[in-house]
Amino acid sequence: HAQVGFSIEEIERVENHTGLFLSKVMAEGKALLLTSQAGNKEIEPIFGCTSLIVVPLRDQEFLIAGKRVVYDAMNSDDLETLTILASQVRIAMENVAFYQQLHQERDQLQQAKKDLEEWSQVLEQRVEERTQKLQETQNQLMQAGKLAAVGQLGAGIAHELNNPLGGVLGYTQLSLEKLEQIENAGI
């Protein structure tokens, strides 16, 4: 409750005698003017004033104002003035809530940005590690390819040498057989 000099107990005592004026103000959403001249005799002994204006602000918040002077009781002009004042107070309260929400969302965005930057660094590290592993694997593949090429070259050389040597070996065996035949013949 937003109030000036009135306790909740005092407000409840007046409500018990004059009806639920706070509930009425909240239900209708409009300001209410209570005066002792209008039959609300309980206002003066409890609140010590001859007139009282109750203006809703938000939810369960009220602006309550009263006047002690009998001959200058609050009137419809005062009601209109306080209603305008209450609307300005309501706007100010909403602006404060929006401002707080804006700061909270800004803080959340800053935290999200920080989290994204950290995650980006983690991802960059992982990419770097994977790139290094791929480089090592590529180097191993190149080394294996070189060894395979050397093996193929060696096999090719061996094959190329083996073919003429096979011919030489064949002629040599043939020559040895002929020599053996010549020796056996006694020539």
Side-chain angles (χ1 to χ4, degrees), residues 126-142:
R126 287 184 181 176
V127 166
E128 179 97 13
E129 289 170 3
R130 296 286 164 94
T131 303
Q132 190 175 4
K133 285 182 182 178
L134 281 173
Q135 188 69 36
E136 289 172 6
T137 304
Q138 185 178 13
N139 289 341
Q140 288 173 352
L141 283 173
M142 287 176 62

Side-chain angles (χ1 to χ4, degrees), residues 38-53:
N40 297 309
K41 300 294 181 197
E42 295 299 320
I43 293 174
E44 193 170 348
I46 294 175
F47 289 109
C49 60
T50 57
S51 58
L52 185 71
I53 293 179

